[in-house]
Amino acid sequence: MPVLELLRHDHAPALLAFERENRAYFAASVPDRGDAYFDEFAARHQALLDEQENEGTIRFHVLVAEDGAILGRINLLDLADGAAELGYRIAESATGRGLATQGVLEVCRLAVEEYGLRRLYAKASPDNGASRAVLARVGFGAVGRETLKTGETAIAYELDLGGSFGRERSGTSS
């Protein structure tokens, strides 16, 4: 079973391999990262680790297989005022095994217990049924539509990490 880990410097080679191997698969449902992402990967990776460590406004997590391969990313962006935006992607070879749901649930637990968050936001393309299903299973509710920078429309989701979500995971009765 893969383990969720906070992104570290030594994840870089496996993370780059994950992104390269799944580039076309991801581009079918989310905007492509572009060639510059891959050309400047090392510098970008270090900058994100620095931001994670020094500013605390992002938390990047990876699902790591026993052999060290990265099977997914589950990230929290723009942490501020008890809230953050959730984003995730799972390798094509690892889909259909519940890893996205497992990883998102674990990041939600960390959001409450480690990062002190009370609310998460997410977006999914109307055409991305798998991503929308993960959000629904975890308890996110659709709250409207949003136009992305690309001009595409996404469904906006929200999850209250207090209420029953937090109590269920803390063992406290509702």
Side-chain angles (χ1 to χ4, degrees):
M1 186 58 88
V3 176
L4 186 76
E5 298 179 359
L6 190 64
L7 185 64
R8 302 184 310 259
H9 182 71
D10 62 320
H11 288 128
L15 182 59
L16 181 57
F18 164 82
E19 292 290 351
R20 282 187 172 144
E21 290 165 10
N22 293 284
R23 184 176 183 179
Y25 173 67
F26 294 146
S29 57
V30 295
D32 184 62
R33 294 189 184 278
D35 291 339
Y37 174 85
F38 298 94
D39 295 342
E40 301 163 7
F41 182 83
R44 178 170 167 70
H45 184 72
Q46 187 58 56
L48 292 174
L49 290 174
D50 290 346
E51 183 179 347
Q52 179 171 266
E53 177 71 25
N54 299 325
E55 297 176 35
T57 56
I58 56 174
R59 292 287 183 262
F60 289 102
H61 306 85
V62 288
L63 282 172
V64 182
E66 289 179 23
D67 66 359
I70 292 183
L71 300 178
R73 301 181 73 156
I74 299 112
N75 301 323
L76 296 173
L77 308 168
D78 301 327
L79 280 78
D81 301 320
E85 183 172 340
L86 171 77
Y88 55 93
R89 50 180 56 198
I90 302 297
E92 182 176 21
S93 64
T95 60
R97 300 180 1 208
L99 295 180
T101 301
Q102 170 198 337
V104 169
L105 282 169
E106 180 62 12
V107 166
C108 287
R109 183 193 67 76
L110 290 170
V112 172
E113 296 177 9
E114 301 291 326
Y115 311 140
L117 300 177
R118 298 179 309 278
R119 184 168 305 283
L120 293 180
Y121 302 97
K123 298 175 200 131
S125 164
D127 299 332
N128 192 340
S131 187
R132 291 184 5 257
V134 168
L135 294 170
R137 278 193 293 275
V138 172
F140 279 80
V143 294
R145 293 195 177 250
E146 196 171 307
T147 302
L148 304 176
K149 293 176 188 173
T150 62
E152 298 175 68
T153 300
I155 301 171
Y157 291 85
E158 189 173 317
L159 175 65
D160 181 354
L161 292 169
S164 64
F165 185 91
R167 286 193 298 274
E168 286 169 5
R169 278 140 189 88
S170 69
T172 316
S173 62
S174 33

